[in-house]
Amino acid sequence: MKAVLFEKFREAPKVVTVSDPTPDPHGVVIKVEATGVCRSDWHGWMGHDSDIHLPHVPGHELAGIVEAVGKDVVNWKRGDRVTVPFISGCGSCPECHAGHQQVCLAQEQPGFTYWGSFAEYVMVHKADLNLVALPESMDFATAASLGCRFATSFRAVVDQGKVSAGQWVAVHGCGGVGLSAVMIANAVGANVIAIDIDDRKLALAKELGAVAAINGATGDVPEAVIELTRGGAHVSLDALGHPVTCFNSIQNLKPRGKHVQVGLMLGEHTTPQVPMAKVIGKELEILGSHGMQAHRYGAMLDMIISGKLDPSRLVGDRISLEDAPAALMNMDRFQSIGATVITSF
């Protein structure tokens, strides 16, 4: 099969021919029809993830068709249209038994712990636990964005932030995760403030339901949010993963507000400054959010099918596998609007 491979961190990946994967007894091989290019992939290419062993094929936001099925798989067959959370649970640890596959103690991640979906085919472990059936009406490019950015935002807003109608929600960073969070928070009735340094992304955020937009390059972001909300946000998300956006997200909260850290904090950003005096004095909650379990996709998919959510609006550039190396290396420049998706292999 064709795949994007890098042999050294921070050196240009290449499109090469490698051996086709085969399913293990509980796994499947998926023919990749679409896969997103995510900032997490860029972190992996930069060498920020200790799970990656070289040479490596990146890619974790994927959708496609089941091509081959392991002998012990019960619920899936060749030809099924599927996607998969970027975290695959083991099914055996205490967290998996409690339904928390997103923090599985022995988790697998395509594109990180093993070769991923920047390829014609990808193998997924524990298929009966981790695969998600796709609605026939959903195109693969849209479905690919569900596995990381959109599903991650859904859990961050709904399950971790517990956002409800009438609350003020601040979203710091309007990339794929942030724009997804804007749409989802708006759908559940919140008043959303979008923050970014790119006016084009802010304009799209307003189209997706944000009631206000703040350009973070032009002034004091927490002060602006507190003024707009008359006291601070009930829930605030750092959807980028940067010391500045993390600090601002905590600082712009009202008393007893919730900060949800969604953007990865890796490399030189692993220890951001936290205004701990405010966390204590205002009884703030600091929450992490890391993906979403396969069994929670039903609620999200129901909202998509009913028309309350439309992740297709977040699909940006559609590129070929040959274009993927350049797209991956440029992820830190924040140029694209919406999710870049590989759709041609």
Side-chain angles (χ1 to χ4, degrees):
M1 68 175 182
K2 289 194 298 182
V4 171
L5 184 84
F6 58 86
E7 297 181 336
K8 294 182 178 180
F9 296 118
R10 305 189 185 201
E11 289 193 4
K14 297 178 181 178
V15 178
V16 298
T17 300
V18 297
S19 299
D20 292 350
T22 55
D24 61 27
H26 293 278
V28 300
V29 170
I30 297 170
K31 181 180 185 295
V32 182
E33 297 290 343
T35 184
V37 182
C38 178
R39 187 166 166 79
S40 302
D41 299 313
W42 176 83
H43 278 298
W45 171 71
M46 287 289 289
H48 297 162
D49 195 308
S50 61
D51 289 327
I52 292 177
H53 300 285
L54 301 174
H56 186 66
V57 175
H60 63 286
E61 293 183 314
L62 67 117
I65 299 170
V66 175
E67 178 74 13
V69 180
K71 66 180 181 65
D72 295 328
V73 173
V74 174
N75 297 328
W76 304 98
K77 65 182 185 303
R78 191 171 186 270
D80 286 342
R81 303 172 81 253
V82 296
T83 187
V84 60
F86 73 88
I87 298 170
S88 295
C90 71
S92 301
C93 71
E95 297 302 331
C96 281
H97 281 300
H100 305 312
Q101 287 80 25
Q102 81 285 356
V103 289
C104 169
L105 301 178
Q107 63 188 248
E108 296 278 334
Q109 296 185 29
F112 296 96
T113 62
Y114 64 97
W115 283 13
S117 55
F118 283 20
E120 293 181 285
Y121 299 95
V122 65
M123 197 269 285
V124 174
H125 300 286
K126 302 290 183 181
D128 286 334
L129 177 65
N130 296 305
L131 285 193
V132 176
L134 290 175
E136 289 294 330
S137 59
M138 183 176 292
D139 70 279
F140 286 114
T142 300
S145 71
L146 301 181
C148 177
R149 280 170 269 208
F150 204 82
T152 294
S153 294
F154 189 90
R155 176 169 169 76
V157 171
V158 176
D159 293 350
Q160 295 294 83
K162 293 180 170 55
V163 171
S164 59
Q167 288 188 325
W168 284 97
V169 175
V171 177
H172 296 258
C174 291
V177 171
L179 290 171
S180 300
V182 169
M183 178 186 289
I184 294 162
N186 177 63
V188 298
N191 302 304
V192 186
I193 300 172
I195 302 102
D196 202 277
I197 58 174
D198 187 332
D199 286 333
R200 299 172 302 162
K201 294 179 180 179
L202 292 174
L204 180 53
K206 293 192 78 170
E207 291 177 17
L208 297 174
V211 299
I214 297 171
N215 189 313
T218 61
D220 187 314
V221 169
E223 183 179 286
V225 172
I226 290 169
E227 182 178 349
L228 279 167
T229 59
R230 300 179 301 281
H234 297 84
V235 179
S236 187
L237 294 84
D238 174 11
L240 174 61
H242 189 278
V244 172
T245 48
C246 176
F247 180 88
N248 287 346
S249 178
I250 298 170
Q251 192 73 9
N252 71 196
L253 288 169
K254 72 189 303 291
R256 297 183 59 80
K258 298 176 184 176
H259 162 75
V260 184
Q261 187 63 43
V262 194
L264 291 174
M265 305 289 280
L266 300 174
E268 63 186 5
H269 297 154
T270 52
T271 54
Q273 179 186 5
V274 174
M276 193 55 70
K278 180 165 185 173
V279 172
I280 297 167
K282 302 299 182 183
E283 292 193 348
L284 306 181
E285 294 184 53
I286 308 296
L287 300 163
S289 194
H290 190 229
M292 190 168 78
Q293 321 93 305
H295 69 76
R296 277 291 286 153
Y297 271 59
M300 179 179 69
L301 289 172
D302 284 346
M303 291 185 72
I304 294 170
I305 293 168
S306 71
K308 292 181 180 177
L309 296 173
D310 185 6
S312 66
R313 297 179 64 186
L314 302 175
V315 176
D317 295 334
R318 300 180 187 227
I319 64 173
S320 70
L321 193 66
E322 284 70 23
D323 297 324
L328 174 65
M329 291 187 291
N330 290 327
M331 279 301 294
D332 64 326
R333 299 182 184 176
F334 312 112
Q335 295 167 322
S336 60
I337 305 297
T340 298
V341 183
I342 302 166
T343 55
S344 173
F345 295 85

